């Protein structure tokens, strides 16, 4: 099926990454990841944005022969329900580990997108503190190219990256704008003025 924007939807501008392209890249990422892990891998998804990416990646990892995959989720609240906060420096991450207990020797923390690099490094630090002996890696579907990256962002490089995107608000494939558009099978650019 061809990707199509919903009709009469002024909140979406254009399709940035099509569903087929995402699918191919997720399978490529699975091949990169499987080379780095032997058996026993806990995928830790950052709710809610990483959920779609995580289940697709898990199935791709299974096709690549990775065994002993388990799922865990954590919840991070950064922006609230809107688009970007006006005062980036005043942002903080509220983490809820949702009672997560990880047994695997290998942990791969997955998020939908790396923006200012506040969310993922905080989650990684927290998990590292709780599981000091685990091999911990991070993966994101998207990385935002920023004109003025924060110091946190400059210090942090995820181990696996799907695509680099321009500094626009993007939705679809799990990513939302005000909780909407997570179900789109592609990544689309939102019209920021409409939110
Ligand atoms: P960071 O902490 O600034 O790296 O922000 C990353 C988090 O912000 C992600 O987990 C997303 O939930 C959210 N986010 C950042 N940019 C976008 C976007 O363009 N669309 C949807 N969510 C985004
Ligand atoms: Mg998020």
């Amino acid at each position: 099926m061809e990707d199509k924007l919903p009709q009469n939807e002024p909140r979406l501008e254009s399709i940035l990454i099509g569903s087929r392209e995402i699918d191919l890249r997720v399978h490529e990422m699975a091949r990169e990841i499987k080379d780095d892990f032997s058996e026993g891998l806990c995928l830790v998804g950052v709710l809610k944005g990483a959920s779609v990416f995580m289940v697709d990646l898990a199935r791709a990892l299974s096709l690549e022969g990775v065994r002993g995959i388990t799922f865990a989720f954590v919840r991070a609240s950064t922006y609230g329900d809107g688009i970007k906060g006006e005062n980036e420096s005043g942002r903080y991450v509220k983490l809820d580990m949702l009672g997560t207990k990880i047994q695997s020797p290998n942990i791969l923390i997955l998020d939908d997108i790396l923006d200012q690099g506040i969310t993922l490094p905080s989650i990684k630090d927290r998990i590292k503190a709780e599981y000091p002996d685990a091999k911990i890696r991070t993966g994101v579907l998207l990385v935002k190219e920023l004109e003025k990256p924060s110091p946190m962002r400059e210090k942090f490089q995820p181990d696996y990256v799907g695509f680099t995107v321009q500094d626009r608000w993007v939705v679809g494939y799990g990513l939302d704008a005000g909780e909407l558009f997570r179900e789109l099978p592609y990544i689309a650019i939102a019209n920021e003025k409409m939110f």
Side-chain angles (χ1 to χ4, degrees):
M1 276 252 274
E2 203 196 319
D3 291 331
K4 258 196 237 120
L5 285 173
Q7 281 186 336
N8 304 318
E9 183 44 89
R11 291 174 293 182
L12 301 181
E13 226 176 76
S14 55
I15 296 175
L16 182 65
I17 309 170
S19 54
R20 173 93 188 117
E21 207 181 330
I22 295 173
D23 191 50
L24 290 172
R25 184 70 191 117
V26 166
H27 282 83
E28 265 173 25
M29 290 179 83
R31 286 192 284 278
E32 292 169 28
I33 293 166
K34 75 126 194 272
D35 290 338
D36 296 346
F37 291 104
S38 50
E39 233 183 89
L41 173 61
C42 181
L43 302 177
V44 180
V46 183
L47 290 173
K48 304 168 200 167
S51 56
V52 177
F53 172 46
M54 177 162 141
V55 295
D56 279 355
L57 184 67
R59 289 180 292 189
L61 287 167
S62 164
L63 284 176
E64 290 301 325
V66 179
R67 295 289 167 260
I69 296 175
T70 57
F71 284 15
F73 291 97
V74 297
R75 180 105 182 83
S77 318
T78 17
Y79 293 117
D81 283 344
I83 281 190
K84 245 182 205 184
E86 287 194 352
N87 180 5
E88 292 284 358
S89 58
R91 283 179 53 212
Y92 72 103
V93 190
K94 204 173 125 219
L95 275 186
D96 184 345
M97 301 298 285
L98 304 172
T100 300
K101 287 276 166 293
I102 301 173
Q103 315 269 328
S104 309
N106 303 301
I107 300 174
L108 175 58
I109 310 166
L110 297 170
D111 204 359
D112 48 5
I113 187 164
L114 182 77
D115 188 357
Q116 291 293 332
I118 300 168
T119 313
L120 202 49
S122 334
I123 297 173
K124 188 177 178 187
D125 287 349
R126 174 82 176 264
I127 292 184
K128 218 175 179 168
E130 280 183 43
Y131 302 96
D133 299 327
K135 172 171 170 179
I136 303 173
R137 297 288 182 269
T138 56
V140 290
L141 180 71
L142 308 174
V143 166
K144 242 184 225 188
E145 214 158 35
L146 300 177
E147 219 170 277
K148 287 192 219 114
S150 66
M152 284 94 65
R153 168 68 192 268
E154 281 186 318
K155 274 200 305 223
F156 185 77
Q157 178 57 44
D159 300 290
Y160 310 101
V161 173
F163 302 92
T164 301
V165 296
Q166 66 214 90
D167 189 8
R168 293 290 308 273
W169 197 263
V170 289
V171 297
Y173 201 73
L175 292 101
D176 74 308
E179 289 300 328
L180 291 174
F181 304 120
R182 294 191 197 273
E183 76 285 10
L184 299 176
Y186 45 76
I187 301 288
I189 299 181
N191 190 345
E192 286 97 341
K193 292 193 288 291
M194 308 275 310
F195 287 90

